[in-house]
Amino acid sequence: MADPITVAIERRIDPVRTAEATSWMQAGTDLATTFPGFLGSGWVRAGEESDLWYMLYRFRDISTLEEWEQSSAREWWLQSGQAFAREERSERRSGIEGWFDAPGGTILEPQVATGAIATTATAPPRWKQAVAIWLGFFPTNVVGTWLLGLIPGFVELHLVARVGISTALFTPLMVFFVLPWVTRMLRPWLHR
């Protein structure tokens, strides 16, 4: 099974056209949701006064990503923003290794001549990735399970229900807070 592909794009936006650019970015996100293999997307501004905006989207695999990137719908959307948006840089990342990239880390670049993907840097060995994930997951799971156990009737729920609830709560916590923090703290060791 192929790894999901995440694309990060940095754009410069004309600061005079912020309202228009906001609608345009949201329209691009909404348009991508209609394509097969779409797994999610979002965008953020670097700061209130900054002209740098970042867009992130993820597809099931390289073939579904390329269907989106080569579509006439996306081409139309990109052309509609040419007057106020200029793409500065784009990176493709594959699999969970994206969490472990050094600054400028594992970047997957499409090779125009061959259609292949070239990797410019490597992620840490999988055993180090596993250690980093465990170091974040174990305390999150212990504290979270203890806290959930304080809720009356929670421990009496069926095992599948308890695990479903706990993973639904712990997964976003891990993805958005714990794993980024752990990998930042372990970065020197991970890339040694």
Side-chain angles (χ1 to χ4, degrees), residues 132-149 165-182:
I133 291 169
W134 183 84
L135 286 172
F137 180 73
F138 180 74
T140 301
N141 195 27
V142 168
V143 171
T145 301
W146 176 74
L147 289 172
L148 288 173
I165 291 168
S166 64
T167 56
L169 295 172
F170 301 164
T171 300
L173 186 63
M174 283 290 296
V175 168
F176 293 107
F177 302 104
V178 177
L179 196 51
W181 180 80
V182 168

Side-chain angles (χ1 to χ4, degrees), residues 91-93 97 100-108 119-123 187 191:
E91 295 180 356
R92 291 180 176 191
R93 296 173 186 259
E97 285 84 359
F100 299 98
D101 294 340
T106 307
I107 301 170
L108 303 176
T119 304
T120 59
T122 59
R187 189 167 306 284
H191 294 283

Side-chain angles (χ1 to χ4, degrees), residues 1-190:
M1 185 171 150
D3 284 331
I5 304 291
T6 302
V7 178
I9 300 172
E10 178 183 278
R11 290 189 173 92
R12 292 223 178 261
I13 302 294
D14 181 348
V16 177
R17 299 177 77 176
T18 299
E20 190 176 353
T22 300
S23 295
W24 178 76
M25 292 289 268
Q26 191 57 54
T29 298
D30 294 344
L31 186 59
T33 65
T34 65
F35 278 75
F38 176 79
L39 298 177
S41 67
W43 61 272
V44 294
R45 296 169 61 181
E48 198 170 359
E49 302 300 320
S50 177
D51 66 344
L52 281 177
W53 295 32
Y54 301 95
M55 184 172 213
L56 187 75
Y57 55 88
R58 187 173 179 97
F59 277 82
R60 176 179 59 231
D61 52 31
I62 192 71
S63 64
T64 56
L65 169 65
E66 288 176 347
E67 283 181 43
W68 157 246
E69 290 185 334
Q70 297 167 8
S71 70
S72 58
R74 181 173 181 266
E75 181 62 30
W76 166 83
W77 174 72
L78 287 172
Q79 286 178 358
S80 70
Q82 282 182 332
F84 53 83
R86 184 179 78 241
E87 186 172 312
E88 294 288 316
R89 164 175 102 91
S90 177
E91 295 180 356
R92 291 180 176 191
R93 296 173 186 259
S94 169
I96 194 152
E97 285 84 359
W99 285 112
F100 299 98
D101 294 340
T106 307
I107 301 170
L108 303 176
E109 300 286 348
Q111 303 298 302
V112 177
T114 64
I117 302 286
T119 304
T120 59
T122 59
R126 287 198 185 266
W127 72 269
K128 285 186 175 185
Q129 295 176 37
V131 169
I133 291 169
W134 183 84
L135 286 172
F137 180 73
F138 180 74
T140 301
N141 195 27
V142 168
V143 171
T145 301
W146 176 74
L147 289 172
L148 288 173
L150 298 175
I151 297 172
F154 184 79
V155 294
E156 285 79 32
L157 289 175
H158 188 274
L159 174 65
V160 173
R162 287 193 321 260
V163 171
I165 291 168
S166 64
T167 56
L169 295 172
F170 301 164
T171 300
L173 186 63
M174 283 290 296
V175 168
F176 293 107
F177 302 104
V178 177
L179 196 51
W181 180 80
V182 168
T183 56
R184 192 170 47 253
M185 295 298 109
L186 295 178
R187 189 167 306 284
W189 174 74
L190 286 167

